[in-house]
Amino acid sequence: NAPTVQDYVNAGVTGVTATNLGAVNNAVAAAAAGQADSTAEIQGLAAPAIVAAAEAQAAALGAIDNWAADSSNPANAPTVQDYVNAGVTGVTAANLGAVNEAIGNAQAGQADSLAEIQPLVDNILTSIAAAAEALQKIQNWASDDSSPANAPSTADYLAAGVVGVTLTNLLVVTEAIAGVDGVAADSL
């Protein structure tokens, strides 16, 4: 198992954080036999990795904040690696577009630290999960409309990104969904 931040603390190695742990572990793992068997040697290996990780984090935070300031050029959009380097968790290739859209909707200076970015990412990941759950409920209803208790609500349609469903037309929409094959109701 790879060493943890606490393992480094216990060994007397300073400067290792959750953000730079991967870089430090890579540096220690790359050391030749006998070059990482004392606190001083490990600290010597860790120090450049810690500096490099801090520089990568600063560059990534800058790229993310620049995107918040101006998201007009897709070539400048942050990458998954930018979020990883910044210490942000939960960003994947599958949700990168949604995350970048949320960051792009922020203002300059509102996405220039991990403490500001992570909650924005967490909110979008929560929204994505809610949309997936709502879409699954709609698909399930299309496959089996035998229990009215399982019928989608206006909130389900809204969470799934379906606009225009109101209490006034909910019954009509729900009946229309019930009339299609479940596979035909699995995406917007």
Side-chain angles (χ1 to χ4, degrees), residues 54-64 66 82:
E55 290 170 352
Q57 183 180 34
L61 289 171
I64 295 166
N66 288 341
D82 288 327

Side-chain angles (χ1 to χ4, degrees), residues 23-35:
V24 171
N25 280 343
N26 288 341
V28 172
Q35 291 183 339

Side-chain angles (χ1 to χ4, degrees), residues 6-46:
Q6 190 60 51
D7 291 331
Y8 287 106
V9 169
N10 294 345
V13 177
T14 60
V16 181
T17 66
T19 303
N20 63 31
L21 178 62
V24 171
N25 280 343
N26 288 341
V28 172
Q35 291 183 339
D37 55 3
S38 72
T39 300
E41 288 175 344
I42 295 169
Q43 188 72 58
L45 294 168

Side-chain angles (χ1 to χ4, degrees), residues 80-111:
V80 171
Q81 191 61 50
D82 288 327
Y83 289 102
V84 169
N85 290 347
V88 177
T89 59
V91 181
T92 65
N95 63 30
L96 179 62
V99 169
N100 280 342
E101 182 178 348
I103 298 295
N105 289 332
Q107 302 296 314
Q110 292 180 331

